[in-house]
């Protein structure tokens, strides 16, 4: 790198030679500058008031010159300072033009190209089914309640009248969390197998009368196939008041099915069993695909397996043993009664949208979601 020499010879030819060396260094360094940091270094190296090259030639070439050479040396030093300044300015100019030209290139927009379309999202068919069903019950004065998907044995089973080792627990293929063996049974964590634990959780918080719907995800240890998924969705309902009867249960659910599927559907109740309801029932709705005839033209109706009826939910009157767990909060089984129901949202969505495989709901294939969304 160029350094300013001390002069011993102040003849015109020696001065000119020193000036030529300096200018060629100035030229080649200026040409090598790329970018802001390099420019600043270059500018300071040549022009810094303290010890820049322009200052140095003033000291070493002019001030140090013998009297008789001052004039010639001063003239050259002044010329060189002007050239240094010009070179620094020109370098800055060159960088600025370069950047703005590059920027213009990048910003150049071809306004004749078609615009970018942002695809509109749509509600997932299962979520939409849950929202629609929830709004049917909202219109009846129900509010929405929610609870955790990781649940304790107590809320998922014990408080719902499944005693420890009760064979009814086998009805649920439960996914347990690992490493819970040291805890008392009721504190062990699991993935909730139904939305029913939210019944107890809500009754612990709110006093009767109570009318709630509970939409949410539930989990069972089922291998995935066309009609099973280890994760699926339920919509639960609970009504508690004085003098709630099985007639209220039937009237409410019959109305809800007509509001959801259309006013021509019929409902039918068949005896069933759940540990937390007594009596318990399964509700069937007349097949809204074939209108209850069991046939579609000359073809057998597959969704109802030609029976004309589709099982849609489990329900029943809240078992007094369940109220015992929340008796302290106003749920004395001698004073209040209630009904509960639970339905599978995915199954209803499958029927409603004519989907033949539950897996399609959860694979996230946009082509599928575009068809039913
Ligand atoms: N929890 C039950 C199930 O998952 C459904 C149900 C809810 C039945 C409420 C009766 C009352 O199968």
């Amino acid at each position: 790198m160029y350094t300013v020499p001390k002069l011993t010879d102040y003849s015109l030819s020696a001065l000119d030679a020193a000036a030529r060396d300096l200018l060629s260094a100035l030229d080649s360094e200026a040409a090598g500058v790329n970018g802001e940091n390099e420019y600043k270094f270059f500018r300071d190296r040549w022009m810094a008031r303290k010890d820049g090259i322009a200052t140095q030639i003033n000291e070493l070439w002019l001030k140090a010159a013998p009297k008789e050479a001052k004039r010639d040396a001063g003239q050259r030093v002044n010329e060189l300072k002007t050239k240094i300044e010009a070179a620094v300015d020109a370098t800055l100019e060159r960088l600025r033009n370069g950047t703005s030209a590059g920027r213009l290139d990048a910003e150049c927009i071809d306004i004749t190209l078609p615009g970018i379309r942002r695809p509109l999202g749509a509600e997932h068919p299962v979520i939409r089914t849950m929202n629609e069903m929830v709004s049917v019950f909202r219109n009846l004065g129900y509010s929405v309640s929610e609870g955790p998907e990781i649940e304790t044995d107590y809320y998922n089973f014990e408080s719902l009248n499944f005693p420890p080792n009760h064979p009814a627990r086998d009805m649920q293929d439960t996914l347990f969390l690992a490493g819970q063996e040291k805890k008392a049974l009721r504190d062990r964590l699991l993935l909730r197998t139904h939305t029913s634990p939210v019944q107890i959780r809500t009754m612990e918080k709110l006093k009767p009368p109570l009318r709630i719907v509970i939409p949410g995800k539930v989990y069972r240890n089922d291998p995935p196939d066309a009609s099973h998924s280890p994760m699926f969705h339920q919509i639960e309902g609970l009504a508690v008041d004085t003098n709630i009867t099985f007639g209220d249960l039937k009237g409410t659910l019959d109305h809800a099915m007509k509001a959801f599927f259309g006013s021509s559907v019929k409902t039918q109740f068949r005896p069933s069993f759940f540990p937390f309801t007594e009596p318990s029932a399964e509700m069937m709705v007349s097949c809204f695909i074939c209108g209850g005839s069991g046939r579609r033209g000359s073809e057998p109706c597959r969704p109802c397996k030609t029976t004309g009826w589709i099982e849609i939910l489990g329900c029943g009157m809240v078992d007094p043993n369940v109220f015992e767990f929340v008796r302290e909060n106003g749920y004395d089984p001698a004073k209040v009664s209630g009904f509960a129901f639970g339905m599978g949202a995915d199954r209803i969505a499958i029927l409603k949208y004519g989907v033949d495989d539950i897996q399609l709901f959860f694979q996230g294939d946009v082509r599928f979601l575009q068809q039913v969304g």
Side-chain angles (χ1 to χ4, degrees):
M1 223 198 214
Y2 174 80
T3 53
V4 180
K6 279 188 177 144
L7 294 183
T8 44
D9 183 353
Y10 280 88
S11 66
L12 285 182
S13 62
L15 282 173
D16 285 340
R20 247 182 283 120
D21 284 352
L22 183 144
L23 286 175
S24 89
L26 178 64
D27 273 356
S28 71
E29 284 184 33
V33 172
N34 257 317
E36 198 178 324
N37 288 339
E38 283 178 35
Y39 164 73
K40 281 184 179 155
F41 176 82
F42 170 70
R43 180 195 61 196
D44 294 346
R45 170 168 152 77
W46 288 85
M47 301 224 319
R49 212 170 284 276
K50 188 171 177 286
D51 233 27
I53 289 176
T55 307
Q56 287 180 46
I57 55 176
N58 208 45
E59 302 289 319
L60 295 176
W61 294 0
L62 178 56
K63 286 193 180 160
K67 232 189 203 134
E68 62 280 9
K70 282 248 196 270
R71 227 181 94 92
D72 291 331
Q75 199 183 8
R76 278 166 185 72
V77 165
N78 278 342
E79 272 173 29
L80 289 172
K81 280 178 164 176
T82 313
K83 286 187 174 160
I84 289 171
E85 224 166 278
V88 169
D89 286 351
T91 304
L92 181 60
E93 192 65 12
R94 172 171 66 76
L95 288 181
R96 280 202 180 130
N97 288 340
T99 330
S100 58
R103 226 183 249 159
L104 273 183
D105 266 355
E107 282 171 2
C108 178
I109 297 168
D110 183 349
I111 58 165
T112 64
L113 286 173
I116 298 165
R117 247 175 235 277
R118 294 196 184 280
L120 271 187
E123 220 169 21
H124 190 280
V126 173
I127 301 296
R128 190 202 294 187
T129 301
M130 293 211 286
N131 286 344
E132 283 174 11
M133 192 61 86
V134 163
S135 81
V136 166
F137 283 95
R138 267 186 185 283
N139 290 339
L140 291 172
Y142 284 60
S143 23
V144 176
S145 206
E146 284 182 313
E149 291 168 26
I150 297 177
E151 201 34 292
T152 60
D153 184 282
Y154 175 77
Y155 286 112
N156 197 77
F157 291 127
E158 187 182 335
S159 64
L160 289 167
N161 201 33
F162 297 77
N165 302 319
H166 190 287
R169 288 189 181 209
D170 294 342
M171 284 165 58
Q172 319 255 6
D173 275 310
T174 307
L175 291 160
F176 292 94
L177 270 70
Q180 304 285 303
E181 297 76 13
K182 289 212 185 79
K183 294 184 182 169
L185 177 63
R186 57 164 53 189
D187 296 329
R188 290 185 198 167
L189 297 174
L190 45 83
L191 297 184
R192 68 179 181 191
T193 58
H194 50 179
T195 40
S196 303
V198 189
Q199 289 188 28
I200 295 284
R201 285 185 173 276
T202 310
M203 287 191 285
E204 284 178 348
K205 285 197 212 99
L206 304 176
K207 297 196 185 314
L210 191 67
R211 279 163 183 77
I212 50 167
V213 268
I214 305 151
K217 287 187 167 67
V218 300
Y219 302 83
R220 286 186 202 177
N221 188 18
D222 285 330
D225 64 24
S227 54
H228 293 86
S229 163
M231 184 282 301
F232 58 104
H233 300 80
Q234 285 190 337
I235 304 157
E236 183 99 6
L238 174 67
V240 183
D241 208 333
T242 49
N243 295 318
I244 296 254
T245 67
F246 203 91
D248 296 316
L249 163 64
K250 289 177 78 175
T252 302
L253 290 178
D254 184 72
H255 165 83
M257 294 305 119
K258 287 184 162 67
F260 187 85
F261 292 112
S263 55
S264 57
V265 302
K266 295 186 175 67
T267 55
Q268 190 191 71
F269 292 80
R270 300 181 183 174
S272 184
F273 173 78
F274 299 100
F276 39 94
T277 46
E278 180 62 30
S280 303
E282 272 156 17
M283 189 182 73
M284 322 287 289
V285 297
S286 57
C287 181
F288 39 85
I289 311 285
C290 64
S293 68
R295 306 198 68 77
R296 296 167 88 183
S298 56
E299 296 285 307
C301 179
R302 251 193 287 158
C304 67
K305 302 192 189 87
T306 74
T307 64
W309 294 95
I310 291 177
E311 188 195 325
I312 213 88
L313 56 76
C315 58
M317 302 307 290
V318 178
D319 193 302
N321 290 342
V322 172
F323 285 138
E324 287 297 344
F325 287 93
V326 284
R327 174 192 270 274
E328 303 307 292
N329 201 30
Y331 293 89
D332 178 349
K335 294 187 179 135
V336 295
S337 58
F339 65 77
F341 59 88
M343 60 187 112
D346 321 77
R347 221 177 96 74
I348 294 173
I350 281 178
L351 295 166
K352 179 156 182 174
Y353 295 100
V355 175
D356 58 11
D357 188 341
I358 190 175
Q359 301 303 321
L360 289 166
F361 285 141
F362 309 126
Q363 282 161 347
D365 187 331
V366 172
R367 291 167 303 179
F368 167 74
L369 297 172
Q370 270 166 349
Q371 285 178 52
V372 296

